[in-house]
Amino acid sequence: MSDADTVSRLNAALEGRYRIESELGEGGMATVYLADDLKHERKVALKVLKPELASRPPNPMPTTSTARV
């Protein structure tokens, strides 16, 4: 799916609340977009999980690397 298709689908899902302007960055788990918060009239960053991660059940136990500070 192209970036334009993804933004179009997200804008349709968020219609009336947010309008995505551009992609800010992408990591291993999610993509962050610059968007307009239509209700509060301000710029926001929206973090959208990758579809393959959003559909997995949560891991009940954190890994040791996550638990260490």
Short mmCIF file of all heavy atoms in Angstrom, two decimals:
data_model
loop_
_atom_site.label_atom_id
_atom_site.label_comp_id
_atom_site.label_asym_id
_atom_site.label_seq_id
_atom_site.Cartn_x
_atom_site.Cartn_y
_atom_site.Cartn_z
N MET A 1 0.85 -1.17 0.00
CA MET A 1 0.00 0.00 0.00
C MET A 1 0.90 1.24 0.00
O MET A 1 1.86 1.32 0.75
CB MET A 1 -0.89 -0.02 1.24
CG MET A 1 -1.84 1.12 1.31
SD MET A 1 -2.92 1.12 2.78
CE MET A 1 -3.40 -0.55 2.96
N SER A 2 0.59 2.24 -0.82
CA SER A 2 1.40 3.45 -0.91
C SER A 2 1.13 4.36 0.29
O SER A 2 0.13 4.23 0.99
CB SER A 2 1.10 4.20 -2.21
OG SER A 2 -0.16 4.84 -2.12
N ASP A 3 2.04 5.29 0.50
CA ASP A 3 1.88 6.25 1.60
C ASP A 3 0.60 7.07 1.43
O ASP A 3 -0.10 7.34 2.41
CB ASP A 3 3.09 7.18 1.68
CG ASP A 3 4.34 6.48 2.17
OD1 ASP A 3 4.21 5.40 2.78
OD2 ASP A 3 5.44 7.00 1.95
N ALA A 4 0.29 7.45 0.19
CA ALA A 4 -0.92 8.24 -0.07
C ALA A 4 -2.17 7.43 0.27
O ALA A 4 -3.13 7.96 0.83
CB ALA A 4 -0.96 8.70 -1.52
N ASP A 5 -2.18 6.14 -0.05
CA ASP A 5 -3.31 5.26 0.28
C ASP A 5 -3.47 5.15 1.80
O ASP A 5 -4.59 5.20 2.31
CB ASP A 5 -3.12 3.86 -0.30
CG ASP A 5 -3.24 3.83 -1.81
OD1 ASP A 5 -3.83 4.76 -2.39
OD2 ASP A 5 -2.72 2.86 -2.41
N THR A 6 -2.37 4.99 2.49
CA THR A 6 -2.40 4.86 3.95
C THR A 6 -2.96 6.13 4.58
O THR A 6 -3.84 6.06 5.45
CB THR A 6 -1.00 4.58 4.51
OG1 THR A 6 -0.50 3.37 3.93
CG2 THR A 6 -1.01 4.45 6.02
N VAL A 7 -2.49 7.29 4.14
CA VAL A 7 -2.97 8.56 4.68
C VAL A 7 -4.45 8.74 4.36
O VAL A 7 -5.23 9.18 5.22
CB VAL A 7 -2.12 9.74 4.17
CG1 VAL A 7 -2.76 11.08 4.52
CG2 VAL A 7 -0.72 9.67 4.75
N SER A 8 -4.88 8.38 3.17
CA SER A 8 -6.30 8.48 2.81
C SER A 8 -7.17 7.60 3.70
O SER A 8 -8.23 8.03 4.17
CB SER A 8 -6.52 8.07 1.35
OG SER A 8 -5.95 9.01 0.49
N ARG A 9 -6.72 6.37 3.96
CA ARG A 9 -7.49 5.47 4.83
C ARG A 9 -7.53 5.97 6.26
O ARG A 9 -8.56 5.91 6.92
CB ARG A 9 -6.89 4.06 4.77
CG ARG A 9 -7.12 3.38 3.43
CD ARG A 9 -6.58 1.99 3.40
NE ARG A 9 -7.28 1.18 4.40
CZ ARG A 9 -6.90 -0.01 4.78
NH1 ARG A 9 -5.83 -0.56 4.25
NH2 ARG A 9 -7.57 -0.70 5.68
N LEU A 10 -6.40 6.49 6.76
CA LEU A 10 -6.38 7.03 8.11
C LEU A 10 -7.28 8.26 8.22
O LEU A 10 -8.02 8.41 9.20
CB LEU A 10 -4.95 7.39 8.52
CG LEU A 10 -4.04 6.20 8.83
CD1 LEU A 10 -2.59 6.67 8.98
CD2 LEU A 10 -4.50 5.48 10.08
N ASN A 11 -7.22 9.16 7.22
CA ASN A 11 -8.09 10.34 7.25
C ASN A 11 -9.56 9.94 7.24
O ASN A 11 -10.37 10.56 7.93
CB ASN A 11 -7.77 11.28 6.09
CG ASN A 11 -6.61 12.20 6.42
OD1 ASN A 11 -6.42 12.60 7.55
ND2 ASN A 11 -5.83 12.53 5.42
N ALA A 12 -9.90 8.90 6.50
CA ALA A 12 -11.29 8.44 6.48
C ALA A 12 -11.70 7.90 7.85
O ALA A 12 -12.80 8.17 8.34
CB ALA A 12 -11.49 7.37 5.41
N ALA A 13 -10.80 7.15 8.50
CA ALA A 13 -11.10 6.58 9.81
C ALA A 13 -11.18 7.65 10.90
O ALA A 13 -11.93 7.51 11.87
CB ALA A 13 -10.05 5.54 10.18
N LEU A 14 -10.43 8.73 10.73
CA LEU A 14 -10.36 9.78 11.75
C LEU A 14 -11.21 10.99 11.41
O LEU A 14 -11.14 12.01 12.10
CB LEU A 14 -8.90 10.22 11.91
CG LEU A 14 -7.92 9.13 12.36
CD1 LEU A 14 -6.48 9.62 12.21
CD2 LEU A 14 -8.21 8.69 13.78
N GLU A 15 -12.03 10.87 10.39
CA GLU A 15 -12.82 11.99 9.88
C GLU A 15 -13.61 12.70 10.99
O GLU A 15 -14.23 12.06 11.83
CB GLU A 15 -13.79 11.50 8.81
CG GLU A 15 -14.51 12.61 8.11
CD GLU A 15 -15.36 12.12 6.96
OE1 GLU A 15 -15.39 10.90 6.71
OE2 GLU A 15 -15.98 12.96 6.32
N GLY A 16 -13.52 14.01 10.98
CA GLY A 16 -14.23 14.81 11.96
C GLY A 16 -13.44 15.07 13.23
O GLY A 16 -13.78 15.94 14.02
N ARG A 17 -12.36 14.33 13.44
CA ARG A 17 -11.56 14.50 14.66
C ARG A 17 -10.15 14.98 14.34
O ARG A 17 -9.66 15.95 14.92
CB ARG A 17 -11.52 13.17 15.42
CG ARG A 17 -10.76 13.21 16.71
CD ARG A 17 -11.36 14.25 17.65
NE ARG A 17 -10.34 14.74 18.55
CZ ARG A 17 -10.39 14.64 19.85
NH1 ARG A 17 -11.42 14.10 20.43
NH2 ARG A 17 -9.42 15.10 20.59
N TYR A 18 -9.46 14.29 13.42
CA TYR A 18 -8.10 14.65 13.03
C TYR A 18 -7.99 14.65 11.51
O TYR A 18 -8.72 13.94 10.83
CB TYR A 18 -7.08 13.63 13.57
CG TYR A 18 -7.05 13.53 15.06
CD1 TYR A 18 -7.68 12.48 15.73
CD2 TYR A 18 -6.38 14.47 15.83
CE1 TYR A 18 -7.66 12.38 17.10
CE2 TYR A 18 -6.35 14.37 17.22
CZ TYR A 18 -6.98 13.33 17.84
OH TYR A 18 -6.95 13.23 19.20
N ARG A 19 -7.03 15.43 10.99
CA ARG A 19 -6.70 15.39 9.57
C ARG A 19 -5.17 15.26 9.47
O ARG A 19 -4.44 16.13 9.94
CB ARG A 19 -7.18 16.64 8.84
CG ARG A 19 -6.90 16.60 7.35
CD ARG A 19 -7.46 17.80 6.59
NE ARG A 19 -7.21 19.07 7.27
CZ ARG A 19 -8.17 19.83 7.81
NH1 ARG A 19 -9.43 19.48 7.75
NH2 ARG A 19 -7.87 20.96 8.42
N ILE A 20 -4.71 14.18 8.89
CA ILE A 20 -3.28 13.92 8.78
C ILE A 20 -2.68 14.79 7.69
O ILE A 20 -3.22 14.89 6.59
CB ILE A 20 -3.03 12.43 8.49
CG1 ILE A 20 -3.52 11.63 9.69
CG2 ILE A 20 -1.57 12.18 8.17
CD1 ILE A 20 -3.07 10.26 9.82
N GLU A 21 -1.55 15.42 8.02
CA GLU A 21 -0.86 16.27 7.07
C GLU A 21 0.33 15.55 6.44
O GLU A 21 0.50 15.60 5.23
CB GLU A 21 -0.35 17.54 7.75
CG GLU A 21 -1.45 18.48 8.16
CD GLU A 21 -0.90 19.79 8.70
OE1 GLU A 21 0.32 20.04 8.60
OE2 GLU A 21 -1.70 20.56 9.23
N SER A 22 1.16 14.92 7.27
CA SER A 22 2.36 14.28 6.74
C SER A 22 2.91 13.26 7.73
O SER A 22 2.53 13.25 8.90
CB SER A 22 3.44 15.33 6.44
OG SER A 22 3.81 16.00 7.63
N GLU A 23 3.80 12.43 7.24
CA GLU A 23 4.48 11.46 8.09
C GLU A 23 5.69 12.13 8.72
O GLU A 23 6.46 12.80 8.02
CB GLU A 23 4.92 10.25 7.26
CG GLU A 23 5.59 9.18 8.06
CD GLU A 23 6.02 7.99 7.23
OE1 GLU A 23 5.22 7.53 6.39
OE2 GLU A 23 7.15 7.52 7.42
N LEU A 24 5.85 11.96 10.03
CA LEU A 24 7.00 12.52 10.73
C LEU A 24 8.13 11.51 10.86
O LEU A 24 9.30 11.87 10.81
CB LEU A 24 6.60 13.01 12.12
CG LEU A 24 5.66 14.21 12.17
CD1 LEU A 24 5.26 14.50 13.62
CD2 LEU A 24 6.30 15.42 11.54
N GLY A 25 7.78 10.25 11.06
CA GLY A 25 8.80 9.24 11.24
C GLY A 25 8.20 7.86 11.37
O GLY A 25 7.00 7.70 11.59
N GLU A 26 9.07 6.86 11.23
CA GLU A 26 8.62 5.47 11.31
C GLU A 26 9.65 4.67 12.08
O GLU A 26 10.85 4.85 11.91
CB GLU A 26 8.47 4.90 9.90
CG GLU A 26 7.94 3.50 9.87
CD GLU A 26 7.70 3.00 8.45
OE1 GLU A 26 7.96 3.75 7.51
OE2 GLU A 26 7.26 1.85 8.32
N GLY A 27 9.15 3.80 12.95
CA GLY A 27 10.02 2.93 13.72
C GLY A 27 9.62 1.48 13.52
O GLY A 27 8.84 1.17 12.62
N GLY A 28 10.12 0.62 14.35
CA GLY A 28 9.85 -0.79 14.22
C GLY A 28 8.42 -1.18 14.57
O GLY A 28 7.91 -2.19 14.09
N MET A 29 7.75 -0.37 15.39
CA MET A 29 6.41 -0.73 15.85
C MET A 29 5.31 0.20 15.34
O MET A 29 4.14 -0.19 15.35
CB MET A 29 6.37 -0.73 17.37
CG MET A 29 7.25 -1.79 17.99
SD MET A 29 7.18 -1.79 19.78
CE MET A 29 5.50 -2.24 20.06
N ALA A 30 5.66 1.41 14.93
CA ALA A 30 4.62 2.38 14.60
C ALA A 30 5.14 3.45 13.65
O ALA A 30 6.34 3.59 13.45
CB ALA A 30 4.08 3.04 15.87
N THR A 31 4.19 4.21 13.12
CA THR A 31 4.48 5.38 12.30
C THR A 31 3.85 6.58 12.99
O THR A 31 2.75 6.50 13.52
CB THR A 31 3.89 5.22 10.88
OG1 THR A 31 4.41 4.02 10.31
CG2 THR A 31 4.26 6.39 9.99
N VAL A 32 4.57 7.70 12.99
CA VAL A 32 4.08 8.93 13.63
C VAL A 32 3.75 9.94 12.53
O VAL A 32 4.54 10.16 11.62
CB VAL A 32 5.12 9.51 14.61
CG1 VAL A 32 4.61 10.79 15.24
CG2 VAL A 32 5.45 8.48 15.69
N TYR A 33 2.56 10.54 12.65
CA TYR A 33 2.08 11.51 11.66
C TYR A 33 1.82 12.85 12.32
O TYR A 33 1.40 12.92 13.47
CB TYR A 33 0.75 11.02 11.06
CG TYR A 33 0.88 9.76 10.26
CD1 TYR A 33 0.64 8.52 10.84
CD2 TYR A 33 1.23 9.79 8.92
CE1 TYR A 33 0.76 7.36 10.12
CE2 TYR A 33 1.35 8.63 8.18
CZ TYR A 33 1.11 7.41 8.79
OH TYR A 33 1.23 6.25 8.06
N LEU A 34 2.07 13.92 11.56
CA LEU A 34 1.65 15.25 11.96
C LEU A 34 0.20 15.41 11.52
O LEU A 34 -0.14 15.10 10.38
CB LEU A 34 2.52 16.31 11.27
CG LEU A 34 2.10 17.77 11.49
CD1 LEU A 34 2.23 18.14 12.97
CD2 LEU A 34 2.93 18.68 10.62
N ALA A 35 -0.65 15.87 12.44
CA ALA A 35 -2.08 15.99 12.13
C ALA A 35 -2.65 17.25 12.76
O ALA A 35 -2.07 17.83 13.68
CB ALA A 35 -2.83 14.76 12.63
N ASP A 36 -3.80 17.67 12.24
CA ASP A 36 -4.58 18.75 12.84
C ASP A 36 -5.63 18.12 13.74
O ASP A 36 -6.36 17.25 13.30
CB ASP A 36 -5.29 19.57 11.76
CG ASP A 36 -4.36 20.45 10.98
OD1 ASP A 36 -3.48 21.07 11.61
OD2 ASP A 36 -4.49 20.52 9.75
N ASP A 37 -5.68 18.57 14.99
CA ASP A 37 -6.77 18.19 15.89
C ASP A 37 -7.89 19.18 15.60
O ASP A 37 -7.80 20.37 15.93
CB ASP A 37 -6.29 18.31 17.34
CG ASP A 37 -7.35 17.97 18.37
OD1 ASP A 37 -8.56 18.05 18.04
OD2 ASP A 37 -6.98 17.63 19.50
N LEU A 38 -8.92 18.73 14.93
CA LEU A 38 -9.99 19.61 14.45
C LEU A 38 -10.83 20.18 15.59
O LEU A 38 -11.31 21.30 15.50
CB LEU A 38 -10.86 18.87 13.44
CG LEU A 38 -10.11 18.32 12.22
CD1 LEU A 38 -11.03 17.50 11.35
CD2 LEU A 38 -9.44 19.42 11.43
N LYS A 39 -10.99 19.42 16.66
CA LYS A 39 -11.80 19.88 17.79
C LYS A 39 -11.10 20.99 18.57
O LYS A 39 -11.72 21.97 18.97
CB LYS A 39 -12.12 18.70 18.71
CG LYS A 39 -12.97 19.05 19.90
CD LYS A 39 -13.29 17.83 20.73
CE LYS A 39 -14.14 18.20 21.93
NZ LYS A 39 -14.42 17.01 22.76
N HIS A 40 -9.81 20.83 18.79
CA HIS A 40 -9.06 21.78 19.62
C HIS A 40 -8.23 22.77 18.81
O HIS A 40 -7.51 23.59 19.39
CB HIS A 40 -8.17 21.02 20.61
CG HIS A 40 -8.94 20.18 21.55
ND1 HIS A 40 -9.03 18.81 21.41
CD2 HIS A 40 -9.70 20.50 22.63
CE1 HIS A 40 -9.80 18.33 22.38
NE2 HIS A 40 -10.23 19.33 23.12
N GLU A 41 -8.30 22.65 17.48
CA GLU A 41 -7.60 23.57 16.57
C GLU A 41 -6.12 23.71 16.91
O GLU A 41 -5.61 24.80 17.17
CB GLU A 41 -8.29 24.93 16.56
CG GLU A 41 -9.72 24.84 16.08
CD GLU A 41 -10.44 26.18 16.09
OE1 GLU A 41 -9.89 27.17 16.63
OE2 GLU A 41 -11.55 26.23 15.56
N ARG A 42 -5.43 22.57 16.91
CA ARG A 42 -3.99 22.56 17.19
C ARG A 42 -3.33 21.43 16.42
O ARG A 42 -3.98 20.49 15.97
CB ARG A 42 -3.74 22.41 18.69
CG ARG A 42 -4.26 21.09 19.23
CD ARG A 42 -4.07 20.98 20.72
NE ARG A 42 -4.66 19.72 21.18
CZ ARG A 42 -4.65 19.33 22.41
NH1 ARG A 42 -4.09 20.07 23.34
NH2 ARG A 42 -5.20 18.19 22.75
N LYS A 43 -2.01 21.51 16.30
CA LYS A 43 -1.22 20.46 15.68
C LYS A 43 -0.93 19.38 16.72
O LYS A 43 -0.67 19.70 17.89
CB LYS A 43 0.11 21.00 15.14
CG LYS A 43 -0.03 22.11 14.13
CD LYS A 43 -0.44 21.55 12.81
CE LYS A 43 -0.42 22.69 11.78
NZ LYS A 43 -1.13 22.35 10.60
N VAL A 44 -0.99 18.13 16.30
CA VAL A 44 -0.68 17.01 17.19
C VAL A 44 0.14 15.98 16.43
O VAL A 44 0.20 15.99 15.20
CB VAL A 44 -1.96 16.33 17.74
CG1 VAL A 44 -2.75 17.28 18.62
CG2 VAL A 44 -2.82 15.81 16.61
N ALA A 45 0.77 15.10 17.17
CA ALA A 45 1.46 13.94 16.60
C ALA A 45 0.60 12.72 16.91
O ALA A 45 0.21 12.51 18.06
CB ALA A 45 2.85 13.79 17.18
N LEU A 46 0.27 11.94 15.88
CA LEU A 46 -0.49 10.71 16.06
C LEU A 46 0.42 9.53 15.80
O LEU A 46 1.06 9.45 14.76
CB LEU A 46 -1.67 10.65 15.08
CG LEU A 46 -2.78 11.66 15.27
CD1 LEU A 46 -3.84 11.47 14.19
CD2 LEU A 46 -3.41 11.51 16.64
N LYS A 47 0.44 8.60 16.73
CA LYS A 47 1.25 7.38 16.59
C LYS A 47 0.31 6.24 16.23
O LYS A 47 -0.63 5.95 16.97
CB LYS A 47 1.97 7.09 17.91
CG LYS A 47 2.98 5.99 17.82
CD LYS A 47 3.73 5.89 19.13
CE LYS A 47 4.97 5.04 19.02
NZ LYS A 47 5.70 5.01 20.28
N VAL A 48 0.58 5.60 15.10
CA VAL A 48 -0.28 4.54 14.60
C VAL A 48 0.52 3.24 14.55
O VAL A 48 1.55 3.15 13.87
CB VAL A 48 -0.80 4.89 13.18
CG1 VAL A 48 -1.69 3.79 12.64
CG2 VAL A 48 -1.54 6.22 13.20
N LEU A 49 0.06 2.25 15.32
CA LEU A 49 0.73 0.94 15.32
C LEU A 49 0.68 0.30 13.95
O LEU A 49 -0.31 0.45 13.21
CB LEU A 49 0.05 -0.01 16.30
CG LEU A 49 0.39 0.12 17.76
CD1 LEU A 49 -0.44 -0.88 18.57
CD2 LEU A 49 1.85 -0.09 18.02
N LYS A 50 1.72 -0.43 13.62
CA LYS A 50 1.71 -1.20 12.37
C LYS A 50 0.63 -2.27 12.47
O LYS A 50 0.43 -2.85 13.55
CB LYS A 50 3.08 -1.81 12.12
CG LYS A 50 4.12 -0.75 11.83
CD LYS A 50 5.43 -1.35 11.41
CE LYS A 50 6.36 -0.20 11.06
NZ LYS A 50 7.60 -0.67 10.49
N PRO A 51 -0.08 -2.54 11.37
CA PRO A 51 -1.21 -3.48 11.42
C PRO A 51 -0.84 -4.86 11.96
O PRO A 51 -1.61 -5.45 12.71
CB PRO A 51 -1.65 -3.58 9.96
CG PRO A 51 -1.15 -2.35 9.31
CD PRO A 51 0.09 -1.95 10.06
N GLU A 52 0.33 -5.34 11.63
CA GLU A 52 0.71 -6.68 12.10
C GLU A 52 0.92 -6.72 13.61
O GLU A 52 0.78 -7.76 14.24
CB GLU A 52 1.96 -7.20 11.36
CG GLU A 52 3.20 -6.36 11.54
CD GLU A 52 3.38 -5.25 10.53
OE1 GLU A 52 2.41 -4.85 9.86
OE2 GLU A 52 4.52 -4.75 10.43
N LEU A 53 1.23 -5.61 14.22
CA LEU A 53 1.39 -5.56 15.68
C LEU A 53 0.06 -5.28 16.38
O LEU A 53 -0.18 -5.76 17.48
CB LEU A 53 2.41 -4.49 16.06
CG LEU A 53 3.82 -4.74 15.57
CD1 LEU A 53 4.71 -3.56 15.87
CD2 LEU A 53 4.38 -5.99 16.22
N ALA A 54 -0.78 -4.49 15.75
CA ALA A 54 -2.06 -4.14 16.36
C ALA A 54 -2.98 -5.34 16.47
O ALA A 54 -3.84 -5.38 17.34
CB ALA A 54 -2.73 -3.05 15.53
N SER A 55 -2.79 -6.35 15.64
CA SER A 55 -3.68 -7.51 15.65
C SER A 55 -3.19 -8.64 16.55
O SER A 55 -3.89 -9.62 16.74
CB SER A 55 -3.87 -8.03 14.23
OG SER A 55 -2.64 -8.48 13.71
N ARG A 56 -2.00 -8.51 17.12
CA ARG A 56 -1.47 -9.56 18.00
C ARG A 56 -1.98 -9.38 19.42
O ARG A 56 -2.15 -8.26 19.87
CB ARG A 56 0.07 -9.49 18.04
CG ARG A 56 0.72 -9.94 16.78
CD ARG A 56 2.21 -10.14 16.91
NE ARG A 56 2.84 -9.40 17.99
CZ ARG A 56 4.13 -9.15 18.04
NH1 ARG A 56 4.93 -9.54 17.08
NH2 ARG A 56 4.64 -8.49 19.05
N PRO A 57 -2.22 -10.47 20.14
CA PRO A 57 -2.60 -10.32 21.54
C PRO A 57 -1.43 -9.76 22.33
O PRO A 57 -0.27 -9.96 21.98
CB PRO A 57 -2.93 -11.75 21.98
CG PRO A 57 -2.37 -12.65 20.95
CD PRO A 57 -2.16 -11.85 19.70
N PRO A 58 -1.70 -9.02 23.41
CA PRO A 58 -0.62 -8.43 24.19
C PRO A 58 0.24 -9.48 24.86
O PRO A 58 -0.23 -10.56 25.20
CB PRO A 58 -1.34 -7.58 25.23
CG PRO A 58 -2.72 -8.13 25.29
CD PRO A 58 -3.01 -8.75 23.95
N ASN A 59 1.50 -9.16 25.04
CA ASN A 59 2.44 -10.03 25.74
C ASN A 59 2.22 -9.84 27.24
O ASN A 59 2.39 -8.74 27.76
CB ASN A 59 3.87 -9.65 25.35
CG ASN A 59 4.91 -10.56 25.96
OD1 ASN A 59 4.57 -11.47 26.72
ND2 ASN A 59 6.15 -10.33 25.64
N PRO A 60 1.83 -10.89 27.97
CA PRO A 60 1.50 -10.72 29.39
C PRO A 60 2.69 -10.40 30.28
O PRO A 60 2.54 -9.83 31.33
CB PRO A 60 0.87 -12.06 29.77
CG PRO A 60 1.43 -13.02 28.79
CD PRO A 60 1.67 -12.25 27.52
N MET A 61 3.91 -10.79 29.87
CA MET A 61 5.09 -10.56 30.69
C MET A 61 6.07 -9.69 29.90
O MET A 61 6.42 -10.01 28.78
CB MET A 61 5.77 -11.90 31.02
CG MET A 61 4.90 -12.88 31.76
SD MET A 61 4.93 -12.69 33.53
CE MET A 61 6.61 -12.92 33.91
N PRO A 62 6.54 -8.59 30.49
CA PRO A 62 7.54 -7.79 29.79
C PRO A 62 8.85 -8.55 29.68
O PRO A 62 9.16 -9.40 30.54
CB PRO A 62 7.70 -6.56 30.67
CG PRO A 62 7.21 -6.97 32.02
CD PRO A 62 6.20 -8.06 31.78
N THR A 63 9.59 -8.29 28.64
CA THR A 63 10.90 -8.93 28.50
C THR A 63 11.86 -8.30 29.50
O THR A 63 11.64 -7.18 29.98
CB THR A 63 11.44 -8.76 27.07
OG1 THR A 63 11.63 -7.37 26.84
CG2 THR A 63 10.49 -9.35 26.05
N THR A 64 12.94 -8.98 29.77
CA THR A 64 13.89 -8.45 30.74
C THR A 64 14.52 -7.15 30.24
O THR A 64 14.81 -6.27 31.03
CB THR A 64 15.00 -9.48 31.05
OG1 THR A 64 15.58 -9.90 29.83
CG2 THR A 64 14.44 -10.64 31.82
N SER A 65 14.70 -7.00 28.93
CA SER A 65 15.28 -5.76 28.43
C SER A 65 14.31 -4.58 28.60
O SER A 65 14.73 -3.47 28.79
CB SER A 65 15.68 -5.90 26.96
OG SER A 65 14.56 -6.17 26.18
N THR A 66 13.03 -4.85 28.56
CA THR A 66 12.02 -3.80 28.77
C THR A 66 11.94 -3.46 30.25
O THR A 66 11.75 -2.30 30.61
CB THR A 66 10.63 -4.26 28.28
OG1 THR A 66 10.74 -4.61 26.91
CG2 THR A 66 9.60 -3.18 28.43
N ALA A 67 12.09 -4.45 31.12
CA ALA A 67 11.91 -4.24 32.54
C ALA A 67 13.10 -3.51 33.18
O ALA A 67 12.95 -2.84 34.18
CB ALA A 67 11.72 -5.59 33.23
N ARG A 68 14.29 -3.60 32.58
CA ARG A 68 15.47 -2.95 33.16
C ARG A 68 15.40 -1.45 32.95
O ARG A 68 14.97 -0.97 31.92
CB ARG A 68 16.73 -3.47 32.48
CG ARG A 68 17.23 -4.72 33.13
CD ARG A 68 18.58 -5.09 32.59
NE ARG A 68 18.31 -6.20 31.67
CZ ARG A 68 18.99 -6.47 30.59
NH1 ARG A 68 20.00 -5.71 30.24
NH2 ARG A 68 18.69 -7.48 29.85
N VAL A 69 15.86 -0.71 33.93
CA VAL A 69 15.89 0.76 33.82
C VAL A 69 17.32 1.22 33.87
O VAL A 69 18.12 0.76 34.59
CB VAL A 69 15.06 1.43 34.95
CG1 VAL A 69 15.15 2.92 34.84
CG2 VAL A 69 13.65 0.96 34.89
#
